[in-house]
Amino acid sequence: MVYVGLFILLLICGIAWQKRKRADKVGAGLQIFNADGKVIFDSTYNTTRMLGRGETNGANGSLIDDRLIGHSVWVVITSHEILPPNYVGGVDSPVFTCNGSKLAWEYGSSYNNAKKNNRFIYGVY
């Protein structure tokens, strides 16, 4: 009977120590709230993930990636073709859009602007 009592006492002390240990931990990350106090961004579960790379080849185009579905998508142009030093026109940059699993890019319709190749990376958050 004494052993059972000691076992229960140790069990209670262990549980109390674990609860105290958890209460001492401070959360890490960033939270952003709107005017109503609702969390609109929490970095502990809204982390970015790079999914792939692509090139525009100076023309309108698209790619399909099923991992884009249901997420907010980001695209960053990482490099572009260098223009010759004597070039005096403008340059069109592609505009990226995402619909479902399709990531598309489209250059402007200006006929006198150069449409150069752009390399890009894309992902979700």
Side-chain angles (χ1 to χ4, degrees):
M1 194 69 175
V2 173
Y3 293 112
V4 173
L6 282 172
F7 177 75
I8 292 173
L9 180 63
L10 286 172
L11 183 65
I12 291 171
C13 288
I15 292 171
W17 182 73
Q18 285 292 333
K19 284 188 177 186
R20 183 174 161 256
K21 186 177 173 183
R22 282 189 209 125
D24 291 342
K25 291 184 178 180
V26 176
L30 172 70
Q31 288 185 325
I32 299 174
F33 300 86
N34 66 9
D36 299 327
K38 180 182 174 191
V39 176
I40 57 174
F41 176 79
D42 188 341
S43 67
T44 60
Y45 62 81
N46 286 358
T47 56
T48 61
R49 183 173 51 171
M50 184 182 136
L51 298 178
R53 302 173 184 270
E55 288 190 48
T56 65
N57 296 316
N60 297 343
S62 65
L63 61 83
I64 302 294
D65 190 334
D66 290 335
R67 298 174 295 174
L68 299 174
I69 297 172
H71 295 282
S72 297
V73 176
W74 57 266
V75 177
V76 176
I77 294 176
T78 57
S79 66
H80 53 85
E81 286 184 37
I82 305 297
L83 294 169
N86 58 353
Y87 182 76
V88 285
V91 177
D92 272 340
S93 293
V95 175
F96 290 86
T97 57
C98 184
N99 188 2
S101 64
K102 182 178 182 180
L103 178 64
W105 54 90
E106 186 174 324
Y107 285 87
S109 59
S110 178
Y111 66 92
N112 60 349
N113 285 348
K115 294 167 177 57
K116 295 293 188 177
N117 183 36
N118 291 276
R119 291 187 182 104
F120 62 91
I121 58 174
Y122 66 95
V124 295
Y125 62 95

